[in-house]
């Protein structure tokens, strides 16, 4: 297994990457918030296949957490993450401090467009501003050829694709499918905050979304589908619904007549954490 280089400062990272990039090596980039699981590692696996060098960042980005959200409680384990990143074939692990990434308060905000008004954008105001800020900084620091994002966070992925297109960013965005536990629960760093009983119930989310996909095929209206999916979740778990929403993907609009794919996405609150999941459904004809 090749060496893993762990780097904490922007300057050291750019010096190391500059050397490699001058030799014509391609860079694949996997941005994360750490507490790694197999979902993150599948991004690395794909990056490994398509690039000479794989860079992973681990940074719990304060700019994307609102007041009262779980920035402090977000799970962290740098040592375990370094071991997993090494075993998965990451070459460079970038773990900056918040002070390294944000030496000054305030500054410029990036305002995403209408794709950020639905779903998590509605219940987490400012969240995607913070995501785009850190993503742009990381893209400028790493200058990757390809960047890997999971469909688990389908809204984030759609907004980042638009960002790259609208601002002519150099990196190519690669979509990676959601990795799940055997019982269907989407892997997430936040799953550790489920109680034992909630962990047993949580696969109800994915089952409800699959039911949603069947209802799409049957041609029910968006409102009926959203209602039935929400009902299936609250009937089969103690989770409460933040949202269940059917939209065109990746446009994230309610106009689903002209789209090739729709998404049924949901956020569900449990006692100590909030989980998101989605299913993307191709439309025939
Ligand atoms: P996070 O650390 O939660 O910010 O996630 C970092 C990246 O991993 C994002 O692109 C996520 O979409 C992706 N990711 C998180 N969970 C999964 C999963 N279960 N399957 C695939 N990708 C995932």
């Amino acid at each position: 297994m090749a060496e893993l280089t762990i780097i904490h400062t922007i300057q050291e990272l750019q010096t190391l990457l500059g050397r490699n990039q001058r030799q014509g090596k391609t860079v694949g980039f996997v941005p994360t918030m750490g507490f790694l699981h197999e979902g993150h590692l599948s991004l690395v696996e794909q990056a490994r296949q398509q690039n000479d060098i794989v860079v992973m960042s681990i940074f719990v980005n304060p700019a994307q957490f609102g007041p009262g959200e779980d920035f402090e409680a977000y799970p962290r384990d740098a040592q375990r993450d370094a071991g997993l990143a090494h075993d998965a074939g990451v070459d460079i692990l970038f773990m900056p401090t918040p002070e390294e990434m944000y030496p000054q308060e305030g500054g410029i905000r990036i305002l995403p467009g209408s794709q950020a008004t639905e779903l998590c954008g509605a219940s987490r105001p400012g969240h995607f501003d913070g995501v785009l800020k850190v993503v742009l900084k990381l893209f400028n620091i790493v200058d990757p050829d390809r960047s890997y994002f999971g469909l688990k966070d389908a809204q984030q992925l759609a907004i980042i694709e638009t960002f790259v297109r609208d601002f002519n960013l150099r990196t190519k965005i690669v979509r990676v499918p959601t990795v799940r536990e055997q019982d269907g629960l989407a892997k997430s760093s936040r799953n550790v905050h489920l109680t034992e009983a909630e962990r047993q119930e949580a696969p109800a989310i994915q089952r409800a979304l699959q039911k949603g996909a069947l209802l799409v095929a049957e041609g029910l209206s968006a409102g009926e589908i959203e209602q039935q999916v929400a009902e299936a979740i609250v009937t089969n778990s103690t989770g409460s619904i933040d949202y269940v929403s059917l939209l065109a993907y990746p446009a994230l609009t309610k106009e689903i007549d002209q789209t090739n794919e729709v998404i049924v996405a949901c956020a569900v609150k449990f006692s100590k954490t909030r989980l998101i999941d989605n299913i993307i459904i191709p439309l025939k004809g």
Side-chain angles (χ1 to χ4, degrees):
M1 194 72 65
E3 280 291 293
L4 171 72
T5 306
I6 300 180
I7 288 184
H8 298 282
T9 69
I10 295 167
Q11 198 178 358
E12 273 177 284
L13 180 64
Q14 289 191 308
T15 306
L16 179 59
L17 281 172
R19 239 183 349 252
N20 282 293
Q21 282 160 334
R22 276 192 296 279
Q23 293 169 6
K25 293 191 177 163
T26 57
V27 174
F29 179 42
V30 179
T32 81
M33 299 204 298
F35 211 72
L36 300 179
H37 52 67
E38 283 164 39
H40 299 115
L41 302 181
S42 79
L43 273 60
V44 173
E45 196 182 315
Q46 196 155 335
R48 196 59 284 165
Q49 287 166 14
Q50 297 175 329
N51 304 276
D52 299 319
I53 298 171
V54 176
V55 179
M56 172 186 273
S57 63
I58 294 183
F59 181 59
V60 184
N61 172 33
Q64 70 189 65
F65 288 81
E69 291 186 355
D70 59 347
F71 174 70
E72 300 294 341
Y74 197 85
R76 294 163 170 90
D77 189 340
Q79 214 171 346
R80 178 173 162 275
D81 284 351
L84 289 171
H86 170 269
D87 294 349
V90 172
D91 299 297
I92 301 173
L93 183 56
F94 179 48
M95 302 170 91
T97 60
E99 295 71 33
E100 179 72 4
M101 290 298 280
Y102 301 113
Q104 273 111 32
E105 293 275 308
I108 305 295
R109 280 176 61 197
I110 304 170
L111 285 187
S114 58
Q115 278 171 308
T117 56
E118 300 284 342
L119 310 176
C120 288
S123 39
R124 302 184 70 186
H127 169 66
F128 289 110
D129 310 11
V131 169
L132 291 184
K133 184 156 186 169
V134 81
V135 161
L136 182 59
K137 285 174 73 79
L138 290 168
F139 284 171
N140 282 330
I141 293 165
V142 177
D143 191 20
D145 295 275
R146 299 179 191 82
S147 302
Y148 295 79
F149 289 88
L151 280 160
K152 159 76 171 29
D153 300 278
Q155 182 177 24
Q156 167 176 278
L157 180 43
I159 292 170
I160 290 171
E161 285 175 345
T162 304
F163 188 46
V164 165
R165 193 192 60 219
D166 280 7
F167 291 88
N168 305 92
L169 304 184
R170 193 183 77 84
T171 193
K172 183 180 181 310
I173 301 298
V174 182
R175 295 181 179 186
V176 182
T178 302
V179 177
R180 298 181 178 281
E181 303 287 354
Q182 281 201 337
D183 60 13
L185 175 65
K187 298 227 179 209
S188 165
S189 307
R190 290 188 168 99
N191 290 350
V192 291
H193 289 320
L194 294 171
T195 65
E196 231 168 273
E198 288 169 344
R199 173 64 191 83
Q200 297 302 314
E201 306 161 0
I205 298 171
Q206 171 60 11
R207 285 200 303 274
L209 292 171
Q210 275 175 355
K211 176 180 173 176
L214 292 178
L215 300 176
V216 170
E218 284 173 21
L220 268 69
S221 75
E224 282 170 308
I225 295 168
E226 289 163 358
Q227 199 192 333
Q228 289 204 33
V229 170
E231 242 172 60
I233 293 171
V234 294
T235 311
N236 296 297
S237 79
T238 51
S240 64
I241 303 294
D242 183 348
Y243 63 76
V244 173
S245 199
L246 185 153
L247 298 169
Y249 194 81
L252 302 177
T253 59
K254 293 197 166 75
E255 283 77 55
I256 55 173
D257 297 345
Q258 303 296 321
T259 187
N260 294 325
E261 290 182 325
V262 292
I263 186 170
V264 183
C266 65
V268 182
K269 287 183 177 163
F270 289 92
S271 60
K272 289 201 261 336
T273 199
R274 172 182 173 279
L275 302 184
I276 59 169
D277 199 356
N278 68 79
I279 190 164
I280 294 176
I281 307 148
L283 297 182
K284 288 199 202 81

